[in-house]
Amino acid sequence: MPTAEQTSSTSLDLAWVRSQFPSLAQTIHGHPAVFLDGPGGTQVPQRVIDAISSYLSRDNANTGGAYQTSRDTDRMIADARSAMGDFLNCDADEIVIGANMTSLTYAMSRAIGRDLGPGDEIVLTLLDHDANFSPWKALEEKGVTIRAAKFNEADCTLDMHDLARRITSHTKLVAVGYASNAVGTINNVAEVVRLARQAGALSYIDAVHYAPHGLIDVRALDCDFLVCSTYKFFGPHMGILYGKREHLKRLHPYKVRPNTNNIPNCWEWGTLNHECIAGIKACVDYWEDLGRRAKPSVATRREAIVAAHTAIHPHERAMMEKMIAGLQAIPGLKLYGISDPRRFDNRCATIVVRIEGHTPLELATKLGDRGFFTWDGNYYALNVTEQLDVERLGGFLRIGLVHYNTMEEVERMLAALKEIV
Ligand SMILES: Cc1ncc(COP(=O)(O)O)c(C=O)c1O
């Protein structure tokens, strides 16, 4: 996971991390709550809560007005945009803010689809969340042909040969996930972007699941679009779209007439959730603070974000190794995805299993009663559960680790699961 940008050693102050998240101190039926539901949405640090509430109590206004709180709102949105620019390594005017990744992707598929018709093709993958599948598949109604690349069932990795074969001179766009929110596989998105570019196609990366786990650098990737959701990386329930400036300018969004033609605002519809945008800036502040604590010598916000990722990576890796080794020792348990520790660079700490004789819902419910928050089902990665033929069986039990989890929680989770089965 670490990139060339992440070189020098850093350390994670886990006690400080946990002290930032008030919800982690909760108990359920007398058991300490263990948040293994990060892939569905992470907890937020106190500063995000404070930013939201302080915006509402002080600055609450619409944008573009000739008075103080409106000007403050304009400034706050500009700050959040620039913070997200540092988070993804792009310019602030390439950051589009929206309700969530799904609506941003539908908006972009509609806009890109305006110029497409019969003879044009779009390449998708069966490993993706449905939010990076259905919005593109909807363009079939314009005569566009959809081609979906397979994944290898044995280890749930993308079949890169199949993907490469499906990209042709007719391909107009390739949409791929950075990491799977079901089986945890990290895809070689740099190679997918290269293949798309070689064919003259656009690349659209769904980084929603990857964002809490690994550093994103849209400049290094050279992708055309990348989407993520701040509620998956310790921020409020909002979505972010990065688009290369040339595309945001060239494409035509569906929009109301009084809205500006300037980017990025022309891609943002109606009045946005300003209080949550205030929370986005606070979320990036958290990442920056985490990085500066891990590596005090960093100069810029971007360098601090890089240092934060360098610090959390070994911790997530160690928890994942322990969790996967422990799970595999449970009789009747089947783990889906990469299980060989030598290949753990190609996966993140999102783990799905099934256990003979127990439905995922039953396991999640029993774990939930003991304070362990896991998920059951398909998590909208519908093609994955259908291809692996577990959709009709209730999908998987998903255990998601992020950097605020602890080794002790991993041990307790394994003990609870053993007791249950
Ligand atoms: C990989 C992935 N992509 C897309 C989405 C959809 O994100 P949003 O809820 O912001 O629309 C999710 C949500 O779980 C996801 O995990």
Side-chain angles (χ1 to χ4, degrees), residues 39 100-102 129 131 179 181 206 208-209 229 231-232:
N100 48 54
M101 175 277 184
T102 305
H129 187 284
N181 68 314
D206 171 4
V208 171
H209 190 66
S229 307
Y231 74 95
K232 308 281 191 180

Side-chain angles (χ1 to χ4, degrees), residues 178-211:
Y178 210 140
S180 160
N181 68 314
V183 289
T185 313
I186 297 173
N187 296 319
N188 186 351
V189 286
E191 176 61 6
V192 177
V193 170
R194 195 189 66 76
L195 290 169
R197 168 131 318 111
Q198 202 175 45
L202 297 170
S203 51
Y204 192 94
I205 312 294
D206 171 4
V208 171
H209 190 66
Y210 186 72

Side-chain angles (χ1 to χ4, degrees), residues 324-346:
I324 290 183
L327 287 170
Q328 285 181 311
I330 296 176
L333 181 144
K334 180 168 178 189
L335 187 139
Y336 294 76
I338 296 171
S339 59
D340 178 354
R342 287 168 301 185
R343 296 178 54 215
F344 278 1
D345 277 350
N346 302 121

Side-chain angles (χ1 to χ4, degrees), residues 39-41 99-105 127-132 177-182 206-210 227-232 237-240 379-380 398:
N100 48 54
M101 175 277 184
T102 305
S103 26
L104 285 166
T105 301
L127 202 53
D128 270 73
H129 187 284
D130 212 57
N132 203 26
Y178 210 140
S180 160
N181 68 314
D206 171 4
V208 171
H209 190 66
Y210 186 72
V227 262
C228 58
S229 307
T230 51
Y231 74 95
K232 308 281 191 180
H237 288 94
M238 296 290 290
I240 299 290
Y379 341 106
Y380 286 24
R398 180 176 68 183

Side-chain angles (χ1 to χ4, degrees), residues 161-184:
H161 294 295
D162 190 50
L163 182 95
R165 198 173 58 79
R166 287 173 198 275
I167 300 174
T168 70
S169 57
H170 299 289
T171 309
K172 293 293 180 274
L173 179 133
V174 181
V176 66
Y178 210 140
S180 160
N181 68 314
V183 289

